Amino acid sequence: QVQFVESGGGLVQPGGSLRLSCAASGSIFSIYNMGWYRQAPGKRRELVAEFTRFGRTNYADSVKGRFTISRDNAKNTVYLQMNSLKPEDTAVYYCNLVPVGTLDWGQGTQVTVSS
């Protein structure tokens, strides 16, 4: 079964930037829509960015204009460039299919935005 490994999180000050990476163990990015999700403490997991198999991108209103999703099919990796980070972006970030199917979630990567 395909597994996801997220990385690139950390502690950053408001207004800063981070680039997240998600590596998949199989070649699925060219077949499926891929997305970045996040889950803040006490909140439900939400989809923040999607890269469709047709090459289109979609973003949640809360991150539009600040986050950019991209992918490298040859490396089986999807990225999330996050700029102008805000404290409310603090969450554990995950990647998975869109919509979520039967693949397991990875361990996620923690992003903390704080001064």
Side-chain angles (χ1 to χ4, degrees):
Q1 185 176 7
V2 175
Q3 295 182 326
F4 301 111
V5 179
E6 299 91 348
S7 62
L11 173 64
V12 62
Q13 293 186 344
S17 298
L18 283 174
R19 188 191 193 210
L20 307 183
S21 299
C22 170
S25 59
S27 300
I28 63 171
F29 290 169
S30 62
I31 303 173
Y32 298 100
N33 303 332
M34 290 298 304
W36 278 97
Y37 300 77
R38 69 184 181 188
Q39 186 168 21
K43 295 187 176 181
R44 297 182 64 179
R45 191 172 293 169
E46 62 172 344
L47 176 66
V48 296
E50 177 187 12
F51 199 113
T52 75
R53 63 188 185 274
F54 303 115
R56 300 182 65 177
T57 57
N58 300 297
Y59 300 94
D61 288 343
S62 58
V63 307
K64 199 172 295 183
R66 300 187 297 121
F67 290 11
T68 302
I69 188 171
S70 61
R71 71 184 189 188
D72 186 331
N73 291 344
K75 295 182 178 180
N76 298 323
T77 301
V78 63
Y79 305 96
L80 186 67
Q81 176 67 44
M82 305 186 297
N83 299 326
S84 302
L85 283 162
K86 304 175 180 180
E88 51 264 43
D89 295 319
T90 295
V92 180
Y93 285 72
Y94 305 85
C95 68
N96 210 314
L97 306 182
V98 179
V100 176
T102 59
L103 297 182
D104 291 336
W105 293 93
Q107 82 287 350
T109 186
Q110 175 71 48
V111 172
T112 303
V113 185
S114 175
S115 55

